Amino acid sequence: MQHIAIGERINSRKHKEIYELIRRHPLISKIDLLEQSQMTGSTLTRTLEELVGQGWLLEAGLGESTGGRRPILYQINPTAGYVFGLDISRMMSKLILCDLHMNRLDSSSWLMDATMTPAKLLDEIAVTVSSMLNKHAIAFDSVLGMGIGAVGPLDRLSGTILEPLYFQASGWRDVNVMVYLQEKLGFPIQLDNGANMAIIGESWSDRNRDYQHLLYVHLGVGIRSSMMSNGKVVYGAVDMEGSIGQMIIQTDGPRLGDHGNYGALETFASIHAIEQQAQSRLKQGRESSLRSQEVSPENINFTHLVQALQIQDPLTVEIFSQAATYFGIGLSNLLNILHPEKVILGGSLINCHPSFFHMATRVAIRNTYHYPTYQVVFSQGHLGEEALVTGAAISVINQLTEG
């Protein structure tokens, strides 16, 4: 079955422009479109009629009168197509099916344990896609495509996950997920790193504010980041998702495991870093409620630490405060270089306790060179852990009006 390329489904530049304007509003009148598009009245009328006739738009009633006839309101047709979003992460992978209004029609998730090899996961995804489409009576050719956000590093052009760290199952090296799933499913698949997909999701959720320069940082097992400038994701010569974590904070500092830079930010501010700090200090004889967990110091993990943080165990508070301070220093370096309008912080470490977010952002602001002239908005985002999978689905819809 030959599937139509996403960017060719709406084939006129004028059609794409009007569709994108309408997509950014729940409802919009022809008068507002005339002002925003700078088209002539006759060109706009013809374009709207053609988009309605092709099924991309719906006439959605009449707006309030401003003295003349009540204006026709337009919205995109949610059932003109469907998209899948897929999040491939170290702990959990998730698939969602959405219409063009981003209404979630179905979802499924997989625990990424030691049995979840690439072949097993991708085969189960293909089966689940077919099951979801049958369940909702959606034809395969109504699917625009699937966006995938995955742990990097990766090659997004070839659709290959390269050498990710910390997967429990074997085989997660040089996995061409794009080719594998396109052969199984027959519709377009696109791959990008998880941070890039997350910033697309968060930007879309906050589209009424129209921030043009965004920074997204996900702080968990590692540090994942992305940047958006002039409303577009910034790409480098290689996959940049893990680059912030390799920023050197202390030139004579330690190294996390057997990879990365010595004294890198990830060595001081990541789940693995705080686990190692706790284990080391307990072995040194430090007192802590962690000793009541009935596990040996070398087996203390993030779950134990979060529980101890909730009861304000002094040692645990010290470890998290130190990590938040180092992370704030790294964040200030980024602010001094990139000057985003808004910074979105997510991930398990950011969300484990309000104090972590507040301490990290205070340190960042205090070390920002142009403060208070330069004002930045800090946020924990609107979508939380759903940002990645939501952004993956939105990235497919975005292609309708690109090119």
Side-chain angles (χ1 to χ4, degrees):
M1 177 178 64
Q2 185 66 36
H3 212 86
I4 302 171
I6 302 166
E8 296 175 3
R9 290 186 174 241
I10 300 177
N11 52 24
S12 155
R13 186 64 257 167
K14 292 194 298 291
H15 289 65
K16 290 177 186 285
E17 179 186 346
I18 294 302
Y19 186 83
E20 183 63 22
L21 282 174
I22 296 172
R23 184 180 161 223
R24 292 188 169 274
H25 301 84
L27 292 170
I28 190 169
S29 70
K30 184 176 177 181
I31 296 170
D32 290 332
L33 288 168
L34 201 57
E35 292 176 357
Q36 294 182 37
S37 69
Q38 299 181 335
M39 289 184 181
T40 64
S42 59
T43 299
L44 177 60
T45 297
R46 184 170 61 253
T47 302
L48 288 169
E49 288 175 349
E50 289 169 351
L51 285 168
V52 170
Q54 293 165 9
W56 291 110
L57 297 183
L58 296 175
E59 293 182 356
L62 300 173
E64 295 295 324
S65 172
T66 57
R69 276 192 284 178
R70 295 169 66 192
I72 298 173
L73 298 176
Y74 292 90
Q75 67 176 22
I76 66 170
N77 180 3
T79 61
Y82 300 88
V83 294
F84 285 97
L86 175 63
D87 170 6
I88 299 179
S89 293
R90 297 176 177 101
M91 303 303 294
M92 187 76 68
S93 291
K94 186 168 190 176
L95 177 73
I96 61 171
L97 169 64
C98 301
D99 64 21
L100 297 188
H101 277 179
M102 282 303 296
N103 296 312
R104 188 171 299 189
L105 306 179
D106 217 329
S107 67
S108 187
S109 58
W110 294 266
L111 180 66
M112 298 297 286
D113 59 18
T115 70
M116 196 56 73
T117 61
K120 181 178 179 183
L121 177 66
L122 297 179
D123 283 343
E124 290 192 16
I125 287 167
V127 170
T128 303
V129 164
S130 297
S131 175
M132 286 181 178
L133 295 179
N134 289 334
K135 175 181 173 182
H136 297 278
I138 297 170
F140 262 84
D141 59 7
S142 295
V143 179
L144 302 186
M146 176 189 290
I148 305 173
V151 175
L154 51 80
D155 182 340
R156 66 188 181 90
L157 297 180
S158 69
T160 305
I161 298 174
L162 299 175
E163 297 178 272
L165 297 171
Y166 309 127
F167 274 94
Q168 294 185 55
S170 61
W172 286 98
R173 183 186 175 110
D174 297 326
V175 181
N176 196 313
V177 296
M178 186 169 74
V179 169
Y180 192 97
L181 287 175
Q182 278 182 174
E183 289 177 351
K184 289 275 186 180
L185 300 172
F187 50 69
I189 308 291
Q190 65 177 43
L191 175 71
D192 207 334
N193 71 54
N196 286 344
M197 290 303 196
I199 204 172
I200 289 170
E202 289 289 358
S203 176
W204 176 255
S205 73
D206 205 17
R207 61 193 178 279
N208 292 332
R209 296 293 300 273
D210 199 29
Y211 289 107
Q212 292 295 297
H213 306 286
L214 294 174
L215 174 66
Y216 174 84
V217 185
H218 185 279
L219 190 58
V221 174
I223 304 178
R224 308 162 73 178
S225 63
S226 57
M227 179 74 187
M228 187 175 278
S229 185
N230 293 315
K232 300 290 184 182
V233 174
V234 176
Y235 290 100
V238 296
D239 184 37
M240 303 191 301
E241 183 186 50
S243 57
I244 286 178
Q246 293 307 310
M247 177 194 304
I248 297 173
I249 297 297
Q250 183 177 319
T251 55
D252 59 348
R255 189 185 193 194
L256 193 63
D258 59 355
H259 66 276
N261 291 325
Y262 287 92
L265 180 60
E266 194 169 285
T267 308
F268 300 98
S270 65
I271 286 177
H272 282 310
I274 64 168
E275 287 177 340
Q276 287 189 2
Q277 283 288 324
Q279 292 163 9
S280 174
R281 295 184 195 188
L282 288 171
K283 288 176 183 178
Q284 291 168 1
R286 292 287 300 273
E287 290 301 320
S288 170
S289 65
L290 291 165
R291 294 191 180 279
S292 66
Q293 297 283 351
E294 297 183 356
V295 294
S296 59
E298 59 267 20
N299 291 322
I300 290 293
N301 61 32
F302 184 63
T303 301
H304 301 132
L305 289 165
V306 171
Q307 291 170 355
L309 183 63
Q310 300 303 324
I311 62 171
Q312 294 292 288
D313 169 63
L315 176 61
T316 308
V317 170
E318 176 186 318
I319 292 169
F320 276 84
S321 297
Q322 179 179 305
T325 300
Y326 276 115
F327 180 64
I329 291 169
L331 205 51
S332 69
N333 290 336
L334 295 171
L335 297 180
N336 289 327
I337 295 168
L338 302 173
H339 296 105
E341 298 169 275
K342 182 177 180 180
V343 178
I344 303 159
L345 303 177
S348 303
L349 260 177
I350 294 293
N351 298 320
C352 68
H353 194 276
S355 62
F356 195 100
F357 175 84
H358 295 309
M359 181 174 293
T361 52
R362 278 200 307 271
V363 171
I365 290 170
R366 199 162 55 236
N367 290 282
T368 299
Y369 182 68
H370 288 295
Y371 183 81
T373 304
Y374 163 56
Q375 295 282 339
V376 62
V377 176
F378 288 103
S379 168
Q380 289 178 263
H382 298 287
L383 301 176
E385 294 303 312
E386 294 292 299
L388 195 163
V389 73
T390 302
I394 290 169
S395 72
V396 179
I397 304 176
N398 287 348
Q399 290 187 58
L400 281 172
T401 55
E402 291 175 354

